[in-house]
Amino acid sequence: MLAPMKEAVGTAFEKVQLALRELAELCAPVPADELAEVAATAQTICNIAEALRRLTFDQVSRSGCWEDDGFRSAGRWLAQHTGAPAGTASVACRQAAALRSMPHSHAAAIEGALHAGHIEALTACRRAAPDAYTSEVDERLVALAGDAAAFRAAVVAFRRDASDPHRPPRASTFSLSERPGGGQRGSLHLDDEDAAIVHAALDRRIAHRLRAKRNGDSTLDGATIAQLRAQALVDLCDADLRRDPDRRRAPDRHRIAVMLQADAEGNIAPVGHLPAASTCDAELFRLVLGAEGEVLDVGRATRTWSAAQADGIIRRDGHCVFPGCDAPPGWCDIHHCHEWEAGGATDIGNGTLLCRWHHTFVHRRRWRIELDQHQRPTFIRPDGSTLGRNRRCCAPSRG
């Protein structure tokens, strides 16, 4: 049953190999006026390979060979024999099955005129509205594949016009899953209103980073927009965890007091209890009360900056003091120049404003910050070399 498919795959593979060899010869070196042609050829090869992959996976799915081998799905069988994730293989099988009933898309995919994104969008349109997705619609959308903006607009318009007007709009969703090599991989879908809010928030943070880069922030060298967007999302989440809605700056929200109270005889016993979940990610400090409820001792709770200290540092620094950065105080933490864990004091002469990006950078790279007699910061790299001061830092006060 699989013999015809095996022969077809072998023939196609030979064609791909030949095309790749021809392309490799063109690339060493390539004159500037031929780069567009080479890029187009490379993309066509990738497109044909994507079409071949989907069609082959579909043949596997329809052949039933995976059942004969005892697998519960074609995706799992393909994962075993190709190394492709089972979920990815299953999606490719479904898309190829849809392509069989989309003649124009099918032909264009085999010719290399559609890339993976085109196929995903077209098959999603048909799956969302199979009755409305006629051959004429398929032909019209395929004809727009060469113009990314026009194609996207046409797909969005089709999905909007073909949707059930009585069906509630799809809710925004966000999921995260662990990756085998570490880290998390996410999937995000936003409706138009939510997307506008998220874009506005992220764009504001990204614009600040790009401005800092233009001002000489060396920590942003080589950073891509995708990396800046991810960091902006983390910054927004971190800001929500660290700051109460009604305060300009309120770090260490997750500090919990272990309350102890002394009775008239001087015996000390704990007051109340702590839910197990409350101490997962919190800083604890002791709070000893007298028999009448008066505060006798708060342990070493001086890591927290008082409101007056925070106001003084904000007035002095005005913004993040890292060279090239001008993040406002609301985006900043107060950094202990001489680390609190190493005995550093919590006073204005030992604190300075750093946005979360640079606060994390300084700690991870083990940079030091020293304040001079005018409380202006100097950044010192691990090798002892220094980085110039932030030109926007306030000059020492006079008089």
Side-chain angles (χ1 to χ4, degrees):
M1 181 185 296
L2 296 181
M5 181 179 68
K6 183 177 180 181
E7 181 179 353
V9 170
T11 301
F13 185 60
E14 290 177 0
K15 293 180 179 179
V16 171
Q17 283 184 310
L18 178 60
L20 287 174
R21 283 197 296 268
E22 293 176 351
L23 181 61
E25 294 174 358
L26 288 174
C27 288
V30 180
D33 58 349
E34 295 181 8
L35 283 175
E37 180 182 353
V38 173
T41 302
Q43 185 62 57
T44 299
I45 292 172
C46 293
N47 294 348
I48 294 174
E50 281 292 333
L52 174 62
R53 183 173 70 91
R54 282 171 171 78
L55 296 176
T56 302
F57 285 10
D58 180 47
Q59 288 283 353
V60 170
S61 180
R62 289 194 292 163
S63 71
C65 62
W66 48 276
E67 292 180 309
D68 297 337
D69 286 347
F71 285 83
R72 289 184 292 178
S73 69
R76 292 179 182 274
W77 187 92
L78 287 163
Q80 173 69 24
H81 290 279
T82 67
T88 301
S90 297
V91 170
C93 290
R94 290 196 297 270
Q95 292 175 351
L99 281 175
R100 289 201 305 271
S101 58
M102 303 162 61
H104 300 286
S105 293
H106 185 274
I110 293 177
E111 293 173 0
L114 302 179
H115 58 61
H118 288 136
I119 295 174
E120 179 180 355
L122 292 168
T123 55
C125 285
R126 186 185 182 282
R127 184 171 63 252
D131 294 335
Y133 196 91
T134 62
S135 177
E136 292 75 15
V137 171
D138 187 42
E139 183 178 15
R140 177 169 57 85
L141 292 179
V142 168
L144 296 174
D147 186 331
F151 178 81
R152 183 179 183 279
V155 167
V156 171
F158 173 83
R159 296 290 296 270
R160 182 185 64 246
D161 297 340
S163 61
D164 183 354
H166 303 291
R167 181 180 180 182
R170 180 182 176 188
S172 298
T173 59
F174 179 44
S175 62
L176 282 174
S177 59
E178 289 190 25
R179 302 182 67 179
Q184 300 274 331
R185 187 182 186 91
S187 174
L188 176 66
H189 168 80
L190 299 173
D191 63 27
D192 292 340
E193 184 175 345
D194 290 346
I197 295 172
V198 172
H199 275 298
L202 295 181
D203 288 349
R204 182 183 178 192
R205 294 269 177 165
I206 292 172
H208 162 71
R209 294 294 177 214
L210 295 177
R211 184 169 65 250
K213 185 175 182 179
R214 290 195 299 270
N215 292 335
D217 184 351
S218 59
T219 67
L220 295 168
D221 291 345
T224 65
I225 291 296
Q227 291 171 331
L228 295 180
R229 187 180 294 114
Q231 188 60 51
L233 178 60
V234 174
D235 287 348
L236 290 169
C237 295
D238 181 75
D240 184 72
L241 287 174
R242 288 172 175 263
R243 295 173 178 84
D244 292 319
D246 59 344
R247 295 187 62 182
R248 175 171 56 177
R249 183 188 171 282
D252 297 327
R253 288 181 59 188
H254 306 292
R255 298 176 67 254
I256 298 175
V258 180
M259 298 179 65
L260 307 172
Q261 188 163 23
D263 59 20
E265 287 75 28
N267 300 314
I268 298 177
V271 179
H273 69 281
L274 294 176
S278 69
T279 58
C280 287
D281 189 18
E283 178 184 347
L284 305 181
F285 65 95
R286 75 177 181 275
L287 177 61
V288 182
L289 306 177
E292 302 299 324
E294 69 276 19
V295 177
L296 301 180
D297 181 26
V298 292
R300 193 183 178 206
T302 55
R303 177 172 186 162
T304 303
W305 302 90
S306 69
Q309 288 174 321
D311 286 342
I313 292 173
I314 289 170
R315 288 194 186 97
R316 182 196 68 200
D317 294 346
H319 50 73
C320 174
V321 299
F322 198 93
C325 188
D326 62 355
W331 295 4
C332 294
D333 305 325
I334 297 181
H335 171 69
H336 286 77
C337 297
H338 181 197
E339 294 183 358
W340 186 83
E341 294 86 348
T346 301
D347 59 45
I348 292 179
N350 190 44
T352 193
L353 284 182
L354 288 177
C355 67
R356 185 183 182 278
W357 173 284
H358 291 119
H359 198 180
T360 303
F361 176 85
V362 165
H363 279 284
R364 285 181 176 174
R365 302 293 182 90
R366 299 188 180 278
W367 283 36
R368 291 186 296 112
I369 303 177
E370 292 183 356
L371 301 181
D372 63 15
Q373 68 271 27
H374 299 297
Q375 297 185 351
R376 293 177 302 190
T378 298
F379 290 80
I380 304 173
R381 300 183 180 92
D383 62 5
S385 60
T386 60
L387 187 67
R389 290 196 180 101
N390 191 325
R391 295 191 299 273
R392 290 178 171 79
C393 283
C394 298
S397 58
R398 299 181 183 275

